[in-house]
Amino acid sequence: RRKRGTFPDPDRRVFINPDVCEGCGDCGVQSNCVSILPLETEFGRKRAIDQSSCNKDYSCLKGFCPSFVTLEGAEVRARPRQDLALPDLPAPPLPAIRGTYNIVVTGVGGTGVVTIGALLAMAAHLEGKGAGVMEMAGLAQKGGAVHIHCRIAGKPADISAIRVAVGEADALIGGDLVVSAGTKTLGLLTRGRSRAVVNSHEIVTGQFTRDRGFRLPTDRLTLALRARLGDAGLVMLDATRLAEVLTGDAVHANVLMLGAAWQSGLVPLGEEAILRAIEINGADPEGNKRAFALGRWAVLHAAAAAEAAAPPAPPRAADLDTIIARRADHLAKYQDARLARRYRDRIARARELDEDFASAMARGYHKLLAYKDEYEVARLHSETLRAAVDAQFASVRAMRFHLAPPILGGLDADRRPKKREFGPWMLGLLGLLARMKRLRGTALDPFGRTAERRLERALIAEYEADMDRVQAGLAPETRDIAIELASLPLEIRGFGPVKARAAEQAAGRRRELLEAFEAGGWPRVVAAE
């Protein structure tokens, strides 16, 4: 309704400053929202908001994190897109309807997959055909698995049931790889009868909101589809990436998939009726008609489409010298040159023993030394926030901050420190606070006596003692244990109660690793004869 202008659209957007974000995932836990995407950075995996799919319920603000700001009057900058001139696209032969032609559409709720079922039904109606569409069991909530069952017949009387039974699907339009390769969907497909066009893009699922390190088992899911359909029965393309590159917005991905399915001969409806259905739907008709044509082009020119959808080349893995230099530079900005030297000296001693151990320590030790206290959050917001916002938005009228200053106290309904909203004036105060970083750790530090600050200082001292202990007894049998122990601080992410919980979990793993190290390695498993 917002897209059609029939429902108020709040003039407020949520933005995450990636420099402040710890990647703890608490925002996803609190909101269960798949518009929170992973963002890979030099300092680990962070979070970002997908502005195209954000439904503006603002539940992510419940996450205990100072990286969130809300922007008023913000317009998302148009993404750069390739201006592709489409060649003539020959129409495919349409499949015959024998009784009913059964289409299953899969995807993730909140991404427009339900619209595909509506377009198919309207196009069938426009051609005088019968159509029955069912959204399975109300599962079309944002982030949930969606199955749309659509039966198309020559006349309405030919449709006796709408739900597609086991093995009866003639076509699968898969907007999401996870749902498409799930047991529920595979059971509807039959080799030789069923054919599919599936979006290969790794779309974030609800699992990511609960497991911050979750990654899709893409190869296994693709193998399951090929095993059921055979190579000839499956077409895969990265529709999400193509939509981003060629239309400037991933929201067009599902209509692009519809175009690809139609060109592959999986839809028994004419192009004219489908395009008219897109116009009647009323949501960005020109953009969606363009997406439909691009889907057709992607099937006819698969190699060119694959090249267009290819992600940017990943940056070359940094060597250890670069890793150390970047983190030492960060520590100098964080505090001073003295802290940077302390870091460099300790990593240099570790490097004399083992390069991989030193690499793990370079990341882990930096994570502990550069803990994000009030001074650092203030510095990062005051130095990097405006540039990060300007890169994604235009015409920002005001920024509001969502913070839980310890000096104000108070608990929320979940017994966590209460977050409060602060106006644009807070940015000036943060700049002043950033310049007070010299007080960090001194007797004059007003924040230094909180439980969180004491924990962070204790973790540094504990880590340094552990590394001294490990380096004194490092051996080939304990090398892997030492590397994991050196990397363990990377698991201690977040702020306040989130960080405290992560530290407690890491402490348990630390005890296990130290016990194994002192025992000379992990116990060997001896196979029974």
Side-chain angles (χ1 to χ4, degrees):
R1 290 177 61 188
R2 285 175 179 164
K3 291 176 183 177
R4 294 180 175 85
T6 61
F7 194 78
D9 189 2
D11 185 21
R12 187 168 72 143
R13 291 184 177 273
V14 179
F15 179 76
I16 298 174
N17 185 345
D19 288 320
V20 176
C21 174
E22 283 271 284
C24 68
D26 190 54
C27 52
V29 171
Q30 300 301 321
S31 65
N32 197 39
C33 180
V34 293
S35 290
I36 301 173
L37 304 179
L39 176 67
E40 306 298 339
T41 75
E42 163 72 17
F43 296 106
R45 176 181 272 198
K46 308 291 189 77
R47 297 293 185 274
I49 303 293
D50 182 354
Q51 300 295 335
S52 294
S53 65
C54 176
N55 67 1
K56 298 184 180 180
D57 71 353
Y58 308 119
S59 57
C60 55
L61 294 175
K62 297 177 183 177
F64 194 80
C65 175
S67 68
F68 283 82
V69 296
T70 47
L71 310 175
E72 298 175 359
E75 297 179 9
V76 179
R77 292 188 185 276
R79 296 178 182 175
R81 64 181 184 182
Q82 293 182 17
D83 189 14
L84 177 68
L86 293 176
D88 290 336
L89 304 173
L94 301 183
I97 300 175
R98 298 181 178 85
T100 63
Y101 188 87
N102 308 320
I103 301 175
V104 175
V105 187
T106 63
V108 174
T111 62
V113 64
V114 174
T115 300
I116 303 305
L119 293 178
L120 290 170
M122 176 56 71
H125 170 72
L126 292 172
E127 289 192 344
K129 295 182 172 67
V133 178
M134 179 171 64
E135 300 168 14
M136 290 300 294
L139 293 179
Q141 79 277 13
K142 185 173 177 65
V146 182
H147 287 81
I148 307 297
H149 288 209
C150 178
R151 288 184 186 265
I152 300 173
K155 55 184 184 297
D158 292 338
I159 301 175
S160 58
I162 299 176
R163 179 169 180 168
V164 177
V166 173
E168 285 189 352
D170 294 297
L172 167 65
I173 303 176
D176 169 70
L177 182 57
V178 174
V179 184
S180 299
T183 303
K184 186 175 181 180
T185 306
L186 293 177
L188 305 175
L189 308 176
T190 302
R191 184 186 283 250
R193 172 176 179 170
S194 308
R195 292 187 296 153
V197 174
V198 177
N199 185 0
S200 62
H201 192 81
E202 295 190 7
I203 297 173
V204 171
T205 69
Q207 181 68 24
F208 179 68
T209 67
R210 298 181 293 277
D211 179 0
R212 64 192 182 194
F214 177 74
R215 298 179 187 275
L216 290 180
T218 302
D219 292 342
R220 180 169 60 81
L221 296 173
T222 303
L223 185 62
L225 280 168
R226 292 199 184 281
R228 178 55 58 99
L229 296 169
D231 290 339
L234 177 64
V235 173
M236 297 191 69
L237 69 157
D238 191 337
T240 303
R241 176 68 180 165
L242 277 174
E244 289 177 346
V245 171
L246 301 179
T247 75
D249 198 331
V251 75
H252 293 117
N254 281 319
V255 177
L256 191 149
M257 287 295 300
L258 177 60
W262 186 82
Q263 189 64 46
S264 299
L266 271 62
V267 181
L269 302 168
E271 180 186 19
E272 183 178 351
I274 294 175
L275 295 180
R276 178 58 185 147
I278 290 174
E279 293 175 352
I280 293 171
N281 182 59
D284 188 15
E286 294 306 314
N288 280 318
K289 286 195 286 187
R290 169 74 173 175
F292 182 83
L294 287 168
R296 295 184 57 199
W297 169 82
V299 170
L300 291 170
H301 302 272
E307 182 178 352
R316 294 176 59 185
D319 57 27
L320 184 51
D321 287 329
T322 302
I323 292 170
I324 295 170
R326 287 174 179 171
R327 283 157 177 77
D329 180 63
H330 178 259
L331 289 170
K333 295 175 181 177
Y334 173 84
Q335 184 69 21
D336 52 29
R338 181 181 178 184
L339 184 64
R341 285 195 302 271
R342 173 180 169 186
Y343 169 79
R344 281 185 177 276
D345 291 346
R346 186 168 282 274
I347 303 305
R349 293 196 299 272
R351 199 171 186 179
E352 293 174 358
L353 296 176
D354 186 279
E355 192 86 355
D356 291 337
F357 170 68
S359 179
M361 190 174 167
R363 293 178 173 89
Y365 191 36
H366 169 266
K367 179 70 174 63
L368 291 180
L369 289 176
Y371 58 84
K372 289 175 181 167
D373 57 7
E374 290 77 8
Y375 306 111
E376 180 65 355
V377 169
R379 183 185 75 84
L380 293 173
H381 270 326
S382 60
E383 291 183 3
T384 69
L385 178 59
R386 286 192 183 277
V389 169
D390 289 345
Q392 192 170 354
F393 298 94
S395 305
V396 176
R397 185 174 63 252
M399 290 189 291
R400 295 190 174 274
F401 298 83
H402 301 263
L403 309 170
I407 59 175
L408 296 182
L411 300 176
D412 62 16
D414 296 321
R415 308 299 297 170
R416 304 205 301 183
K418 186 176 181 179
K419 293 182 69 176
R420 294 173 170 87
E421 183 176 308
F422 300 89
W425 56 268
M426 176 56 73
L427 192 59
L429 184 59
L430 291 173
L432 177 62
L433 181 60
R435 291 193 290 273
M436 298 170 62
K437 66 181 183 179
R438 295 286 182 184
L439 298 178
R440 178 185 286 125
T442 70
L444 299 178
D445 185 353
F447 311 108
R449 296 177 180 83
T450 65
E452 187 172 356
R453 300 291 88 82
R454 293 198 304 270
L455 169 65
E456 287 159 343
R457 293 194 298 269
L459 287 172
I460 293 172
E462 180 182 81
Y463 184 82
E464 290 175 340
D466 287 347
M467 293 300 99
D468 288 341
R469 182 177 173 185
V470 165
Q471 287 172 253
L474 189 63
E477 297 78 14
T478 58
R479 178 176 178 272
D480 290 344
I481 299 172
I483 290 173
E484 184 179 348
L485 191 62
S487 301
L488 196 57
L490 301 179
E491 299 302 315
I492 306 175
R493 309 182 210 171
F495 298 85
V498 178
K499 185 167 193 173
R501 185 169 59 250
E504 184 178 349
Q505 294 171 348
R509 182 57 176 168
R510 169 182 171 267
R511 288 191 293 270
E512 294 174 356
L513 291 168
L514 287 175
E515 289 175 4
F517 187 86
E518 293 299 329
W522 294 110
R524 292 186 178 182
V525 178
V526 180
E529 293 184 2

